[in-house]
């Protein structure tokens, strides 16, 4: 059974950097596109980035473009989100999601329906 686990969240100062990881167990991530979303309390989930199964195609929301980078290591069954120049308003729970084929649709995988439990990122002094 597929289980996605996010890690790497915590406290970072404004302007700082952090790398999140999404690791799968019970499922070969290499066959699927993977995305990252985030959600603040009381707000909807924002789709911020996606990477194709091969890793050759990536996409980003305008809010993170130029600051965040999504990569994957299929040998480790892990997808990463490198976040730079973090802002206080980006204090959210970050989730990874797996799609049902190899490609992204906008900033989310095709058929995205399996989510991790999320990891909290707090950007504060």
């Amino acid at each position: 059974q597929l289980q996605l686990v996010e890690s790497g969240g915590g406290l970072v100062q404004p302007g700082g950097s952090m790398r999140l990881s999404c690791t799968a167990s019970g499922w070969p991530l290499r066959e699927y596109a993977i995305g990252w979303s985030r959600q603040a309390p009381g707000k909807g989930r924002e789709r911020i980035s996606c990477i194709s199964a091969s890793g050759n195609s990536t996409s980003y929301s305008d809010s993170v473009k130029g600051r965040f980078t999504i990569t994957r290591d299929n040998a480790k069954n892990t997808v990463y989100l490198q976040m730079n120049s973090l802002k206080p308003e980006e204090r959210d729970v970050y989730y990874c999601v797996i799609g049902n084929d190899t490609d992204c649709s906008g900033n989310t995988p095709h058929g995205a329906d399996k989510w991790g439990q999320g990891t909290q990122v707090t950007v504060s002094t």
Side-chain angles (χ1 to χ4, degrees), residues 63-81:
S63 61
V64 306
K65 194 174 296 181
R67 298 185 298 119
F68 290 13
T69 303
I70 189 170
T71 58
R72 66 191 301 156
D73 185 339
N74 287 336
K76 295 183 178 179
N77 227 29
T78 299
V79 173
Y80 304 97
L81 185 69

Side-chain angles (χ1 to χ4, degrees), residues 10-16 86-91 121-125:
L11 175 65
V12 63
Q13 292 187 344
L86 281 160
K87 305 173 183 179
E89 57 265 35
E90 295 181 307
R91 184 189 68 178
V121 172
T122 300
V123 185
S124 176
T125 56

Side-chain angles (χ1 to χ4, degrees), residues 36-53:
W36 285 94
S37 295
R38 63 188 180 186
Q39 187 168 22
K43 295 187 178 181
R45 197 163 291 189
E46 179 189 10
R47 301 164 180 172
I48 58 173
S49 187
C50 185
I51 187 166
S52 64

